[in-house]
Amino acid sequence: MVDEHGIVPIGSSEGSGSFFRSPLPDRKQGEDNAYANALAQFEKAVSHLNLKRGVVETLRHPKRELSVTFPVLMDNQEVRVFRGYRVHHSAVKGPTKGGIRYSKEVTLDEVRALAMLMTWKCALMNIPYGGAKGGVVVDPKELSTRELERLTRRYATEISVLMGPESDIPAPDMGTNPQVMAWIMDTYSMHRGFSVPAVVTGKPVEIGGSLGRTEATGRGVAETMREALRIRGIDPEKATVAVQGFGNVGSVAARIAYEMGAKVVAITCSKGGIFNGNGLDPQAVIRHVEEGGCVYNFPNADGISNEELLTLDCDVLIVAALENQITSRNADKIRAKIIAEGANGPTTPEADEILNAKGIFIIPDILCNSGGVTVSYLEWVQDLQSFFWPVEEINLKLQALLMKAFESVMECARIYNVPNREAAQILAIQRIADAMMIRGIYP
Ligand code: GLU
């Protein structure tokens, strides 16, 4: 039997049966299917472009998909079997780039969608990468540190046929962190016989990580939020902000927004949330969580549910949790003036229509959360040149790339008279299509 965590006990009759032959069917259908949503966004953007049908058809599909099933020795000496994926959507512009996600919710369709978004994100930022994503069906919180290390080293070995500093470079995503990247870097290096820091980004700085990488995604969210506020004529010091998700992205974005003078009035995490109309100090909430507390039992604040936070009357709604949070079921109740998509794919295409009709300014995911992969790129460049920059330089380079991309999205939105997401994707897809045609179709 495959249980809900995607785990097959060894010796299970399904072990040599259907489970090993084909990927699990995706249980998520319709508006909840991330790949269907990514494709719907793609079709919309592509309809504005005059591309060859074959180019469009190529970009609809991942270039290659690896599905792996592997055993891990648990602390109680049992062997458990896990499923993982690594999907390359496009490698036209360079090595494929994208995070690795550890979550019980991982499906092949989700990984396909996220890989496609990585292609657009890297193209939009003008960094020389294609798009990829990986995932393992596991709740990392259920494993001990030793188990997590064994799982990571085995998964890294399984996907090492694809991975490499010139071919495919993973990074952290939901459920993974710099330590997991360190294990991947070490495993790959052990197999090669020498250290290869550039095989993975988001590593600890001690082993070739970049200064500023850990907070880069949240920093990018806050920087793009500030730009959107400027465009909408709202003073950041008078802006009210609600933050869904208090992981690495949401917590850093909240902290930097607060440092910019904005009033962070609400924060939620997966277990619940808090509201204070006078403003919360995100750094104090971060400390509270680090000391073992939960967001929802932070003192001097009222409780708030996720759904209440999403529909709060505020200037900026930062969605930094999961995909498919803003759907046709709640989009018409959203009152924020600006939505900053810290997460990948937080808004469904159905919700997009509703939000656009309401005139809400969306900072699309491939722009809003691109700070992470941008500093990943800077990390990879530093690893390859074996020369490292101070954090000030990293942040300046990040800021310059982000603002250039932001400007080009605004210009494209004006030229095509389309909402921001469509504009961002039009730009990205056109760049990939141009690269495909210049390279030519082999053979
Ligand atoms: N997982 C992050 C993202 O979705 C970062 C990817 C990377 O740095 O390669 O953009």
Side-chain angles (χ1 to χ4, degrees):
M1 281 293 292
V2 181
D3 77 11
E4 57 175 338
H5 311 312
I7 295 166
V8 191
I10 204 83
S12 147
S13 58
E14 287 205 42
S16 54
S18 59
F19 182 75
F20 284 89
R21 276 207 299 268
S22 61
L24 292 172
D26 202 320
R27 286 159 301 203
K28 291 182 182 153
Q29 299 298 328
E31 203 178 343
D32 292 325
N33 184 297
Y35 187 47
N37 290 346
L39 278 174
Q41 291 174 357
F42 171 74
E43 302 299 344
K44 218 172 194 178
V46 122
S47 71
H48 298 277
L49 298 171
N50 190 17
L51 303 182
K52 282 196 184 307
R53 279 209 340 248
V55 169
V56 174
E57 187 57 18
T58 306
L59 292 175
R60 276 192 190 112
H61 306 279
K63 174 184 173 67
R64 54 172 84 95
E65 306 179 338
L66 177 65
S67 176
V68 295
T69 313
F70 56 92
V72 176
L73 185 65
M74 308 306 279
D75 290 345
N76 65 4
Q77 298 307 306
E78 265 182 35
V79 176
R80 292 174 94 181
V81 180
F82 292 85
R83 177 171 284 274
Y85 306 103
R86 185 75 184 166
V87 172
H88 294 177
H89 172 259
S90 164
V92 173
K93 298 270 273 177
T96 51
K97 187 84 190 80
I100 290 172
R101 177 171 289 201
Y102 287 175
S103 156
K104 275 198 288 200
E105 302 297 319
V106 163
T107 64
L108 181 53
D109 267 359
E110 182 192 54
V111 180
R112 284 172 174 149
L114 295 168
M116 183 185 259
L117 285 177
M118 286 309 300
T119 302
W120 311 148
K121 199 184 298 187
C122 294
L124 178 64
M125 295 311 293
N126 254 327
I127 54 183
Y129 287 141
K133 205 77 172 193
V136 177
V137 187
V138 60
D139 179 355
K141 293 201 187 85
E142 285 175 2
L143 301 192
S144 71
T145 305
R146 286 290 307 159
E147 289 169 341
L148 200 61
E149 179 175 351
R150 283 195 292 266
L151 175 133
T152 299
R153 288 185 182 279
R154 180 61 189 244
Y155 170 69
T157 305
E158 296 289 344
I159 66 164
S160 63
V161 288
L162 298 182
M163 205 169 36
E166 292 111 20
S167 54
D168 178 34
I169 307 136
D173 197 78
M174 195 183 298
T176 58
N177 58 24
Q179 178 61 69
V180 171
M181 298 307 116
W183 290 326
I184 294 176
M185 178 271 198
D186 185 68
T187 303
Y188 184 88
S189 300
M190 286 299 110
H191 291 181
R192 294 302 309 273
F194 49 88
S195 290
V196 188
V199 70
V200 69
T201 60
K203 304 175 290 294
V205 287
E206 292 83 349
I207 56 167
S210 176
L211 295 169
R213 173 61 185 88
T214 307
E215 61 170 47
T217 314
R219 175 173 294 280
V221 172
E223 296 281 359
T224 54
M225 174 199 83
R226 178 159 59 185
E227 188 58 14
L229 284 167
R230 194 187 62 75
I231 290 169
R232 278 287 149 111
I234 303 169
D235 180 356
E237 307 225 342
K238 296 203 178 75
T240 51
V241 180
V243 186
Q244 185 205 31
F246 208 61
N248 181 42
V249 181
S251 62
V252 173
R255 177 173 63 72
I256 298 178
Y258 175 86
E259 286 165 10
M260 289 171 176
K263 197 196 277 183
V264 179
V265 290
I267 296 172
T268 55
C269 74
S270 57
K271 299 194 194 90
I274 47 175
F275 172 84
N276 187 334
N278 295 320
L280 298 155
D281 176 357
Q283 188 56 51
V285 184
I286 292 170
R287 258 197 314 275
H288 172 76
V289 172
E290 278 170 0
E291 284 162 8
C294 284
V295 170
Y296 66 82
N297 59 25
F298 182 75
N300 301 326
D302 298 326
I304 189 172
S305 71
N306 241 314
E307 215 46 40
E308 285 168 333
L309 175 131
L310 291 175
T311 56
L312 212 59
D313 189 6
C314 58
D315 294 311
V316 185
L317 171 62
I318 297 178
V319 276
L322 284 166
E323 55 259 28
N324 302 339
Q325 294 302 294
I326 306 179
T327 67
S328 58
R329 299 181 281 276
N330 59 12
D332 62 330
K333 297 193 216 101
I334 288 187
R335 288 184 285 169
K337 298 183 183 73
I338 294 167
I339 295 177
E341 295 188 336
N344 289 311
T347 309
T348 67
E350 289 86 342
D352 252 341
E353 302 269 334
I354 300 167
L355 300 175
N356 290 333
K358 282 163 75 107
I360 294 174
F361 187 105
I362 298 177
I363 314 168
D365 47 8
I366 59 172
L367 174 64
C368 188
N369 70 40
S370 63
V373 74
T374 303
V375 177
S376 273
Y377 165 60
L378 299 176
E379 176 173 333
W380 179 74
V381 169
Q382 291 172 92
D383 288 337
L384 293 178
Q385 68 186 12
S386 298
F387 180 74
F388 291 81
W389 299 311
V391 70
E392 294 77 16
E393 198 161 338
I394 304 284
N395 287 342
L396 279 176
K397 285 182 159 68
L398 167 63
Q399 164 93 5
L401 287 165
L402 268 178
M403 288 308 116
K404 192 155 184 243
F406 204 121
E407 243 169 63
S408 56
V409 170
M410 291 299 101
E411 196 189 330
C412 182
R414 257 194 314 276
I415 293 170
Y416 286 88
N417 193 22
V418 292
N420 298 343
R421 185 189 318 285
E422 243 166 286
Q425 297 219 351
I426 285 171
L427 268 176
I429 294 165
Q430 181 72 65
R431 285 176 185 165
I432 301 289
D434 287 347
M436 277 175 81
M437 294 316 292
I438 292 166
R439 280 180 62 160
I441 306 300
Y442 176 85

